[in-house]
Amino acid sequence: MKISTKGRYGLEALVDLAIHSSEGCVSLKSISERCGISEAYILQIFLILRRAGIVESVRGAQGGYMLAKSPSEITVGDVLTSLEGPLAPVACCTSTNENPLCERYGKCATVGFWKNVMKTLNEVADSITINDLVEYYRNNFFNKDYEIDYYI
């Protein structure tokens, strides 16, 4: 299973928004510049996130985007399922008897394995919040003093 650029960039842009949210509304242009992602693509992503209730937009000269909830209330799972749909390694994981997505549904020996993979993936995605990712960023990359090696 691969997460598309929509999911990856959306998560990165949302973390950037959370990091800079203390400044008030954050413009897509500033997120675009910091993340190195096209402003038009971030706009597409944020429209989806707005419909999902993850971000809010404010119009006007001082407008932009802000989180709709606290970063500790938004999980990676919330973001990825909003942008990607169900986090399922294969289609049969989201099948039902009423709506089978695979002609082998109900008689496949591996469906239990795939459902366990999906369950584990969703548990991990739902256990990590945007705040966790912000803290990871701050602890590992933000204002990090790197030792300079002067040896030649």
Side-chain angles (χ1 to χ4, degrees):
M1 177 181 146
K2 287 187 179 182
I3 303 295
S4 72
T5 56
K6 190 187 323 179
R8 294 190 337 259
Y9 291 174
L11 196 55
E12 183 179 350
L14 204 59
V15 170
D16 183 84
L17 175 63
I19 289 168
H20 295 92
S21 63
S22 63
E23 303 163 14
C25 290
V26 181
S27 72
L28 292 183
K29 181 177 181 166
S30 64
I31 295 171
S32 170
E33 290 171 354
R34 286 188 296 267
C35 294
I37 304 167
S38 142
E39 188 175 345
Y41 197 30
I42 292 177
L43 174 60
Q44 291 175 21
I45 291 167
F46 273 46
L47 289 175
I48 296 167
L49 294 174
R50 187 171 56 99
R51 282 192 298 264
I54 294 173
V55 298
E56 294 177 346
S57 61
V58 176
R59 293 179 176 228
Q62 300 302 315
Y65 283 84
M66 60 183 149
L67 297 174
K69 303 181 242 180
S70 163
S72 61
E73 296 176 33
I74 304 169
T75 68
V76 170
D78 294 334
V79 177
L80 291 180
T81 56
S82 295
L83 296 171
E84 301 282 349
L87 298 180
V90 292
C92 67
C93 289
T94 58
S95 289
T96 63
N97 287 331
E98 298 81 34
N99 185 23
L101 298 174
C102 174
E103 68 279 353
R104 297 174 44 97
Y105 186 77
K107 58 186 172 203
C108 177
T110 63
V111 71
F113 166 75
W114 294 119
K115 286 189 176 191
N116 282 334
V117 169
M118 183 178 89
K119 179 179 178 238
T120 302
L121 177 61
N122 281 284
E123 286 172 353
V124 170
D126 291 339
S127 72
I128 299 171
T129 67
I130 296 302
N131 192 60
D132 295 332
L133 296 179
V134 168
E135 288 304 313
Y136 178 82
Y137 172 80
R138 286 187 174 139
N139 291 333
N140 291 285
F141 304 109
F142 188 69
N143 289 333
K144 194 74 167 173
D145 293 327
Y146 293 100
E147 290 185 25
I148 300 174
D149 186 356
Y150 291 101
Y151 293 101
I152 298 178

